[in-house]
Amino acid sequence: MKELLQEIQQALADLLRSGLDAAGPTAADRLRRLADRCEDTGLHTGAALLTQLAGQLEARAHAIHKNDLPLTQTLCRLARYCELCEEKEQEQAILRRWREQQTGGAL
């Protein structure tokens, strides 16, 4: 899961680095592939946010008047979601190590 979260964060960083104007169909395809992987991993909220972001990027490409606020909101929600997932993963790792120490000490 850690690698997947890093890939999502890298995709978001690439999107921000290149700019929304430069984000083409390849960016939306990349986000959809990541969404599929999230779904397979059980990160359903991440999958939904990635799919939503990909759809917003595709719609933006065909819009005459650009309104980037909804797209930016989704991007920020996805970034925060990744942070929360990383925090949870760290908490679980700490709990696993603590339990291993408790079990190892009791033997």
Side-chain angles (χ1 to χ4, degrees):
M1 179 167 75
K2 185 176 182 177
E3 290 176 14
L4 179 56
L5 291 172
Q6 288 174 342
E7 287 182 48
I8 294 169
Q9 291 171 330
Q10 184 62 51
L12 295 180
D14 292 345
L15 183 61
L16 291 172
R17 206 174 296 118
S18 67
L20 299 177
D21 287 331
T26 56
D29 290 342
R30 180 181 182 188
L31 295 174
R32 288 192 194 285
R33 284 192 307 275
L34 287 169
D36 290 341
R37 289 182 55 202
C38 281
E39 195 64 45
D40 293 342
T41 309
L43 300 175
H44 305 295
T45 301
L49 289 169
L50 284 161
T51 301
Q52 181 179 356
L53 187 59
Q56 289 171 327
L57 278 174
E58 291 169 342
R60 185 186 191 285
H62 301 291
I64 294 173
H65 301 287
K66 313 291 187 201
N67 179 9
D68 291 335
L69 184 59
L71 194 146
T72 305
Q73 288 173 327
T74 305
L75 206 150
C76 289
R77 287 184 65 208
L78 184 56
R80 180 65 179 142
Y81 174 79
C82 288
E83 289 174 4
L84 292 173
C85 286
E86 284 181 332
E87 287 176 18
K88 183 175 181 179
E89 183 68 25
Q90 288 174 350
E91 290 171 0
Q92 289 175 341
I94 291 168
L95 184 59
R96 277 192 304 272
R97 283 193 305 267
W98 182 79
R99 286 183 179 159
E100 288 171 4
Q101 289 175 351
Q102 296 301 314
T103 315
L107 297 174

